[in-house]
Coordinates of all heavy atoms in Angstrom, one line a residue:
W248 N 108.4 105.6 127.8 CA 108.1 106.7 126.9 C 107.5 106.3 125.6 O 106.7 107.0 125.0 CB 109.3 107.6 126.7 CG 110.5 106.9 126.0 CD1 111.6 106.4 126.6 CD2 110.7 106.8 124.6 NE1 112.4 105.9 125.7 CE2 111.9 106.1 124.4 CE3 110.0 107.2 123.5 CZ2 112.4 105.8 123.2 CZ3 110.5 106.9 122.2 CH2 111.7 106.2 122.1
P249 N 107.8 105.1 125.0 CA 107.2 104.6 123.8 C 105.7 104.5 124.0 O 104.9 104.6 123.1 CB 107.8 103.3 123.5 CG 109.2 103.4 124.1 CD 108.9 104.1 125.4
A250 N 105.2 104.1 125.2 CA 103.8 104.0 125.5 C 103.1 105.3 125.4 O 101.9 105.4 125.0 CB 103.6 103.4 126.9
R251 N 103.8 106.4 125.8 CA 103.2 107.7 125.7 C 103.1 108.1 124.2 O 102.2 108.8 123.8 CB 104.0 108.7 126.5 CG 104.1 108.4 128.0 CD 105.1 109.1 128.7 NE 105.3 108.6 130.0 CZ 106.4 108.9 130.8 NH1 107.3 109.8 130.4 NH2 106.5 108.4 132.0
I252 N 104.1 107.6 123.4 CA 104.0 107.9 122.0 C 102.8 107.2 121.4 O 102.0 107.7 120.6 CB 105.3 107.5 121.3 CG1 106.4 108.4 121.7 CG2 105.1 107.5 119.8 CD1 107.8 108.0 121.1
A253 N 102.6 105.9 121.8 CA 101.5 105.1 121.3 C 100.1 105.8 121.7 O 99.2 105.9 120.9 CB 101.5 103.7 121.9
A254 N 100.1 106.4 122.9 CA 98.8 107.1 123.3 C 98.7 108.3 122.4 O 97.5 108.7 122.0 CB 98.9 107.5 124.8
G255 N 99.7 109.0 122.2 CA 99.7 110.2 121.3 C 99.2 109.9 119.9 O 98.5 110.6 119.3
I256 N 99.7 108.7 119.4 CA 99.3 108.3 118.1 C 97.8 108.1 118.0 O 97.1 108.5 117.0 CB 100.0 107.0 117.7 CG1 101.5 107.2 117.5 CG2 99.4 106.3 116.4 CD1 102.3 106.0 117.3
C257 N 97.2 107.4 119.0 CA 95.8 107.1 119.0 C 94.9 108.3 119.4 O 93.9 108.5 118.7 CB 95.5 106.0 120.0 SG 96.1 104.4 119.4
L258 N 95.3 109.1 120.3 CA 94.5 110.1 120.9 C 94.7 111.5 120.2 O 93.8 112.4 120.3 CB 94.7 110.3 122.4 CG 94.5 109.0 123.2 CD1 94.7 109.3 124.7 CD2 93.1 108.4 123.0
V259 N 95.8 111.7 119.5 CA 96.1 113.0 118.8 C 96.2 112.8 117.3 O 95.5 113.4 116.5 CB 97.3 113.6 119.4 CG1 97.6 114.9 118.7 CG2 97.1 113.9 120.9
A260 N 97.2 111.9 116.9 CA 97.5 111.8 115.5 C 96.4 111.2 114.7 O 96.0 111.8 113.6 CB 98.8 110.9 115.3
A261 N 95.8 110.1 115.1 CA 94.7 109.5 114.4 C 93.5 110.4 114.2 O 93.0 110.6 113.1 CB 94.3 108.2 115.0
P262 N 93.0 111.1 115.3 CA 91.9 112.0 115.1 C 92.2 113.2 114.2 O 91.4 113.6 113.4 CB 91.6 112.5 116.5 CG 92.0 111.4 117.4 CD 93.3 110.8 116.7
A263 N 93.5 113.6 114.3 CA 93.9 114.7 113.4 C 93.9 114.3 111.9 O 93.5 115.1 111.1 CB 95.3 115.2 113.8
I264 N 94.4 113.1 111.7 CA 94.4 112.6 110.3 C 93.0 112.5 109.8 O 92.7 112.8 108.6 CB 95.1 111.2 110.2 CG1 96.6 111.3 110.5 CG2 94.8 110.5 108.9 CD1 97.3 110.0 110.7
T265 N 92.1 112.0 110.7 CA 90.6 111.9 110.3 C 90.1 113.3 110.0 O 89.4 113.5 109.0 CB 89.8 111.3 111.4 OG1 90.3 110.0 111.7 CG2 88.3 111.2 111.0
G266 N 90.5 114.3 110.8 CA 90.0 115.6 110.5 C 90.5 116.2 109.2 O 89.8 116.8 108.5
L267 N 91.8 115.9 108.9 CA 92.4 116.4 107.7 C 91.7 115.7 106.5 O 91.4 116.4 105.5 CB 93.9 116.1 107.6 CG 94.7 116.9 108.6 CD1 96.2 116.4 108.6 CD2 94.7 118.4 108.2
N268 N 91.4 114.4 106.6 CA 90.7 113.7 105.5 C 89.3 114.3 105.3 O 88.9 114.5 104.2 CB 90.6 112.2 105.9 CG 91.9 111.5 105.7 OD1 92.9 112.0 105.1 ND2 92.1 110.4 106.4
A269 N 88.6 114.6 106.4 CA 87.3 115.1 106.3 C 87.3 116.5 105.7 O 86.4 116.8 104.8 CB 86.7 115.2 107.7
N270 N 88.2 117.3 106.0 CA 88.3 118.6 105.4 C 88.6 118.6 103.9 O 88.0 119.3 103.1 CB 89.4 119.5 106.2 CG 89.3 120.9 105.8 OD1 88.3 121.6 106.0 ND2 90.4 121.4 105.3
T271 N 89.5 117.6 103.6 CA 89.8 117.5 102.1 C 88.6 117.0 101.4 O 88.3 117.4 100.3 CB 91.0 116.5 102.0 OG1 92.1 116.9 102.7 CG2 91.3 116.2 100.5
I272 N 87.9 116.0 101.9 CA 86.7 115.5 101.3 C 85.6 116.5 101.1 O 85.0 116.6 100.0 CB 86.1 114.3 102.1 CG1 87.1 113.1 102.0 CG2 84.7 113.9 101.6 CD1 86.7 111.9 102.9
R273 N 85.4 117.4 102.1 CA 84.4 118.4 102.0 C 84.8 119.4 100.9 O 83.9 119.8 100.1 CB 84.3 119.2 103.3 CG 83.3 120.3 103.3 CD 83.2 121.1 104.6 NE 84.4 121.8 104.8 CZ 84.6 122.6 105.9 NH1 83.7 122.7 106.8 NH2 85.7 123.2 106.1
S274 N 86.1 119.7 100.8 CA 86.5 120.6 99.7 C 86.3 120.0 98.3 O 85.9 120.7 97.4 CB 88.0 121.0 99.9 OG 88.2 121.6 101.1
R275 N 86.6 118.7 98.2 CA 86.5 118.0 96.9 C 85.0 117.9 96.5 O 84.7 118.0 95.4 CB 87.1 116.6 97.0 CG 88.7 116.7 97.0 CD 89.3 115.3 97.0 NE 88.9 114.6 95.8 CZ 89.6 114.7 94.7 NH1 90.6 115.6 94.6 NH2 89.2 114.0 93.6
L276 N 84.2 117.6 97.5 CA 82.7 117.6 97.2 C 82.2 118.9 96.8 O 81.3 119.0 95.9 CB 82.0 117.1 98.4 CG 82.2 115.6 98.8 CD1 81.5 115.2 100.1 CD2 81.6 114.7 97.7
A277 N 82.7 120.0 97.4 CA 82.3 121.3 97.0 C 82.7 121.7 95.6 O 82.0 122.5 94.9 CB 82.9 122.4 98.0
E278 N 83.8 121.0 95.1 CA 84.2 121.2 93.8 C 83.5 120.4 92.8 O 83.8 120.4 91.6 CB 85.7 121.0 93.7 CG 86.6 121.9 94.5 CD 88.0 121.5 94.6 OE1 88.4 120.4 94.1 OE2 88.8 122.2 95.2
G279 N 82.6 119.5 93.3 CA 81.8 118.7 92.4 C 82.3 117.3 92.2 O 81.8 116.5 91.3
H280 N 83.4 116.9 92.9 CA 83.9 115.5 92.8 C 82.9 114.5 93.4 O 82.2 114.8 94.3 CB 85.3 115.4 93.4 CG 86.3 116.2 92.7 ND1 87.0 115.8 91.6 CD2 86.8 117.5 93.0 CE1 87.8 116.8 91.2 NE2 87.8 117.8 92.1
S281 N 83.0 113.3 93.0 CA 82.2 112.2 93.5 C 82.9 111.4 94.6 O 84.1 111.3 94.6 CB 81.8 111.2 92.4 OG 81.1 110.1 92.9
L282 N 82.1 110.9 95.5 CA 82.6 110.1 96.6 C 83.1 108.7 96.1 O 83.8 108.0 96.8 CB 81.6 109.9 97.7 CG 81.3 111.1 98.6 CD1 80.2 110.8 99.5 CD2 82.5 111.4 99.4
G283 N 82.5 108.2 95.0 CA 82.8 106.9 94.6 C 82.3 105.8 95.5 O 83.0 104.8 95.6
G284 N 81.2 106.0 96.1 CA 80.6 105.0 97.0 C 81.2 105.0 98.4 O 80.9 104.1 99.1
R285 N 82.0 106.0 98.7 CA 82.7 106.0 100.0 C 81.7 106.3 101.1 O 80.9 107.3 101.0 CB 83.8 107.0 100.0 CG 84.8 106.9 101.2 CD 85.9 107.9 101.0 NE 86.9 107.8 102.0 CZ 88.0 108.5 102.1 NH1 88.2 109.5 101.1 NH2 88.9 108.4 103.0
N286 N 81.7 105.6 102.2 CA 80.8 105.9 103.3 C 81.5 106.8 104.3 O 82.5 106.4 105.0 CB 80.5 104.5 104.0 CG 79.4 104.7 105.1 OD1 79.2 105.8 105.6 ND2 78.7 103.7 105.4
L287 N 81.0 108.0 104.4 CA 81.7 109.1 105.2 C 81.6 108.8 106.7 O 82.3 109.4 107.5 CB 81.2 110.4 104.9 CG 81.4 110.9 103.4 CD1 80.9 112.3 103.2 CD2 82.9 110.9 103.2
T288 N 80.7 108.0 107.2 CA 80.6 107.7 108.6 C 81.8 106.8 109.1 O 82.0 106.6 110.3 CB 79.3 107.0 108.9 OG1 79.2 105.7 108.3 CG2 78.1 107.8 108.6
E289 N 82.5 106.2 108.1 CA 83.6 105.3 108.5 C 85.0 105.9 108.4 O 86.0 105.2 108.3 CB 83.5 104.1 107.6 CG 82.2 103.3 107.7 CD 82.2 102.0 107.0 OE1 83.2 101.7 106.3 OE2 81.3 101.2 107.1
L290 N 85.0 107.3 108.3 CA 86.3 107.9 108.2 C 87.3 107.6 109.3 O 88.5 107.3 109.1 CB 86.2 109.5 108.2 CG 85.7 110.1 106.9 CD1 85.6 111.6 107.0 CD2 86.6 109.7 105.7

């Protein structure tokens, strides 16, 4: 069962975290904040 948790971490949790980060960044950019040189292709 820990292996299934590991699969869930990679296939569900990590993409979800990336999605939340992307949504937050889009909102901050819409508010006029700067990226500070961050490369968005590497989220």
Side-chain angles (χ1 to χ4, degrees):
W248 64 264
R251 298 166 192 168
I252 292 178
I256 289 173
C257 288
L258 304 180
V259 179
I264 292 172
T265 301
L267 290 173
N268 289 342
N270 192 58
T271 300
I272 290 172
R273 183 181 66 180
S274 299
R275 290 182 62 82
L276 288 174
E278 295 170 358
H280 294 279
S281 172
L282 284 176
R285 191 175 186 181
N286 189 334
L287 295 183
T288 62
E289 298 186 357
L290 283 182

